[in-house]
Amino acid sequence: MKPIRIALTKGRLEQDSVQMFQQLGYDCTALREKGRKLIFPVGNANMEIVLAKAADVVTYVENGVCDIGVVGKDTIMEMGGTFYEVADLGFGKCRFALAVPMGVDFYKGYHTRRIASKYVNVSRSFFEKKEMDVEIVKIEGSVELAPILGLSDAIVDIVETGTTLKENGLIIQEFLGEISARLIVNIASLKLRKEEIDTFISKIEHYLGTEV
Ligand code: PRP
């Protein structure tokens, strides 16, 4: 049978994901010596790992070309999609925040605020709940620049240590929610490869239960 394919998010979550797989007993040597390769066999398990950008992890799992994915809740909230979210993996913890330049009273006055964010859907639904009319500008990265450059009044972004905000003269106005890495599973895979995927999920649950 073809290997179970797992998509891991490159970058921020990569190291913790690989560490988790190693601790589950999967040999990730190929992944640790990766060079520029993007797809790796896992020891002698009938499994392979691919490395992809967060949004692509969701796309691959949703379309069934990967059975399982590890991706941040931020990406899941932004993209939505049809898959099972089966576990909170507990790493990659950070928060969504609305941040403003220090000394600015964000809610003062009646003008339409401009919000810069990579997360336009998360931002839109946050302000819709407040029944506040805002203009949202999509920025791909280093969003903290947008208010400094005068493009926006505020940003919606993920905050981990708070260092990036601080070093760019921004402060948190409000928290929007908690984020961490999640395990997602393709809907058809969970039926068709039930035994293998259930075994994998049980291993993860056991690992999460024994972690200190
Ligand atoms: C994220 C986020 C902030 C920063 C927050 O960016 O967009 O810029 O990390 O982390 P901190 O609170 O620990 O300072 P990332 O490094 O993922 O890169 P990006 O700006 O290119 O999206």
Side-chain angles (χ1 to χ4, degrees):
M1 216 190 288
K2 69 180 169 82
I4 290 280
R5 204 178 274 153
I6 303 179
L8 300 185
T9 301
K10 281 202 279 193
R12 209 166 254 276
L13 301 180
E14 191 175 325
Q15 207 184 339
D16 284 336
S17 303
V18 174
Q19 198 180 323
M20 181 183 77
F21 276 84
Q22 286 283 149
Q23 286 182 10
L24 292 173
Y26 296 111
D27 177 6
C28 295
T29 312
L31 191 53
R32 282 188 281 114
E33 297 164 356
K34 64 181 162 116
R36 296 291 294 165
K37 273 184 79 167
L38 298 169
I39 183 157
F40 310 90
V42 178
N44 48 17
N46 186 29
M47 197 180 260
E48 64 192 10
I49 289 181
V50 308
L51 288 177
K53 281 195 150 193
D56 300 337
V57 168
V58 171
T59 303
Y60 291 143
V61 171
E62 199 173 11
N63 285 282
V65 296
C66 291
D67 306 288
I68 294 172
V70 173
V71 67
K73 183 69 178 176
D74 53 330
T75 305
I76 295 175
M77 284 169 71
E78 178 63 17
M79 289 182 71
T82 311
F83 46 79
Y84 294 118
E85 183 183 321
V86 296
D88 180 343
L89 298 173
F91 56 81
K93 281 191 180 166
C94 50
R95 296 200 268 184
F96 264 128
L98 170 69
V100 296
M102 205 178 300
V104 166
D105 185 351
F106 180 72
Y107 291 108
K108 195 174 168 197
Y110 294 99
H111 68 285
T112 302
R113 273 74 169 174
R114 221 188 224 198
I115 310 297
S117 188
K118 236 185 315 187
Y119 303 93
V120 292
N121 296 324
V122 170
S123 305
R124 188 171 302 117
S125 84
F126 173 70
F127 286 105
E128 267 171 14
K129 275 190 210 122
K130 288 182 172 292
E131 297 185 356
M132 201 172 150
D133 199 18
V134 296
E135 189 187 335
I136 297 163
V137 186
K138 169 113 198 225
I139 295 291
E140 293 295 340
S142 302
V143 182
E144 295 82 359
L145 264 177
I148 297 176
L149 298 179
L151 180 70
S152 72
D153 299 290
I155 63 170
V156 167
D157 200 12
I158 56 170
V159 177
E160 189 180 358
T161 60
T163 311
T164 314
L165 289 182
K166 197 170 169 205
E167 293 195 359
N168 292 288
L170 302 173
I171 56 162
I172 291 166
Q173 173 84 40
E174 242 164 285
F175 284 114
L176 283 64
E178 307 278 338
I179 295 163
S180 56
R182 305 297 160 101
L183 191 75
I184 62 172
V185 180
N186 173 265
I187 289 175
S189 300
L190 198 57
K191 290 200 186 82
L192 300 172
R193 311 285 299 258
K194 188 165 174 36
E195 213 177 298
E196 289 154 284
I197 292 179
D198 279 351
T199 305
F200 179 75
I201 294 172
S202 305
K203 277 191 179 192
I204 296 257
E205 282 168 349
H206 178 73
Y207 165 79
L208 293 172
T210 53
E211 248 190 331
V212 274

